[in-house]
Amino acid sequence: MPFPTGDQHELRLGDQVAVVASVGASVREYRVGDRDVLLPFPAQSLAPAFSGAVLAPWPNRLRDGRYGYRGAAYEVPLTEHERQTALHGLVAYARFDVVEASDASVTLRHDLVPTPGYPWALRLDVTYGLTADGLAVEVVATNLSDATAPYGVGFHPWLSPGPGGVDACTLQVGAGRHVTVDHRLLPTGTEAVSGRLDLREPVALAGLALDDAWVDAVRDTDGLSWARLTGDDARTVAVWMDGTLPAWQVCTGDGIPGIERRGVAVEPMSCVADAFRTGEMLVELEPAGTHTVRWGVRLD
């Protein structure tokens, strides 16, 4: 019986090891020496809570699974029935095929077939590469159809907190505005960060449950925005995203089956929830057009 995670692609560079699964182009493991950087999960199990997956052609939630675009109405299946939303796109559990592979990198591809709910053909090329600065990720989306396509992309790495668990960690996220939401976790606006939702400096996670987004990314001189999870072993999992990714989502995993606050999802995104309906940060991908994003993670 084939693994539900598909084929396994092991990457090695020095003491870094990453395992990329073909289903969802998911990072199933990433460790440096004997320290997990991302929460691992077994090849024989379905990826829990979108672990390590690519989220496209939209990340996060789509209200009622319905949207309009350029005068037409579309509907995709609901996947989060409690909140009546379509969650995290169409490819998180789809199979990607190898395009190119080496000892330290792999490129996977998925051709998204048009459906009544998303009638555009997209090609997604996902490259993972180990470097001296950690694991680098690039996703190139190409519109293979003859009409402009609405598009967004995100990623779902669950960061490992180290031996003391999430409550022993601090979290820093470089962003100046917090996205406000309703009871369905759908956006209602933004607000200036304040209190324990101001993560521009490290905040203790003990007693803090998050499933929130931030925008107005703070960037360094290289144009990168950073998030850092520091454990009680004084090791820091640092995530960066480039200027094509303007939003962060953070989830502490409280009450989520398979996670249960064992790690912290720190998710680079090209848009926040419901972008297909609001148009906020939405990418409009012209025929034959491409859209490229880059992010990465390392252990300090």
Side-chain angles (χ1 to χ4, degrees):
M1 180 177 175
F3 288 155
T5 54
D7 300 328
Q8 311 296 306
H9 308 283
E10 185 176 275
L11 312 180
R12 289 184 174 270
L13 182 68
D15 61 351
Q16 299 181 77
V17 179
V19 179
V20 178
S22 63
V23 172
S26 300
V27 186
R28 195 175 60 74
E29 294 182 35
Y30 177 41
R31 65 183 186 272
V32 177
D34 59 359
R35 173 59 151 87
D36 286 325
V37 182
L38 305 182
L39 283 184
F41 61 94
Q44 299 89 344
S45 302
L46 287 169
F50 298 91
S51 288
V54 176
L55 314 175
W58 70 88
N60 217 294
R61 294 172 172 86
L62 176 59
R63 182 188 303 268
D64 303 324
R66 297 172 180 166
Y67 64 99
Y69 187 69
R70 298 201 171 189
Y74 303 102
E75 184 172 353
V76 296
L78 297 178
T79 55
E80 190 186 37
H81 291 274
E82 178 183 359
R83 296 189 176 101
Q84 292 290 288
T85 69
L87 185 60
H88 289 331
L90 301 172
V91 302
Y93 292 96
R95 183 180 295 275
F96 286 66
D97 298 317
V98 174
V99 175
E100 188 175 1
S102 67
D103 290 344
S105 69
V106 64
T107 298
L108 302 174
R109 172 178 291 172
H110 178 73
D111 286 339
L112 183 63
V113 176
T115 61
Y118 190 83
W120 297 276
L122 295 187
R123 171 166 289 171
L124 298 170
D125 288 306
V126 184
T127 299
Y128 294 97
L130 291 175
T131 74
D133 290 324
L135 179 65
V137 186
E138 178 184 86
V139 174
V140 181
T142 305
N143 185 356
L144 304 178
S145 59
D146 59 3
T148 301
Y151 176 72
V153 64
F155 307 88
H156 213 298
W158 285 96
L159 310 190
S160 174
V166 168
D167 283 345
C169 288
T170 63
L171 178 67
Q172 177 269 326
V173 178
R177 296 193 69 81
H178 172 251
V179 178
T180 58
V181 296
D182 62 16
H183 68 286
R184 297 166 67 185
L185 299 184
L186 293 164
T188 59
T190 66
E191 61 186 0
V193 293
S194 63
R196 296 189 78 184
L197 295 178
D198 184 354
L199 304 180
R200 291 173 296 180
E201 298 296 332
V203 169
L205 287 180
L208 182 60
L210 297 172
D211 195 353
D212 295 78
W214 283 261
V215 294
D216 191 17
V218 176
R219 301 194 180 273
D220 63 18
T221 55
D222 295 320
L224 305 180
S225 184
W226 290 85
R228 296 176 175 90
L229 181 72
T230 301
D232 66 351
D233 58 355
R235 304 303 300 273
T236 296
V237 180
V239 183
W240 59 266
M241 63 183 187
D242 75 1
T244 63
L245 294 163
W248 293 104
Q249 180 82 19
V250 175
C251 180
T252 49
D254 298 70
I256 295 178
I259 301 296
E260 299 293 353
R261 205 173 169 85
R262 291 186 302 111
V264 179
V266 176
E267 309 167 36
M269 302 186 300
S270 69
C271 57
V272 298
D274 224 17
F276 277 19
R277 294 174 64 97
T278 67
E280 295 289 332
M281 304 180 186
L282 184 67
V283 174
E284 298 194 75
L285 200 52
E286 299 290 338
T290 63
H291 180 261
T292 302
V293 299
R294 297 179 182 88
W295 69 280
V297 57
R298 72 187 192 199
L299 183 67
D300 293 336

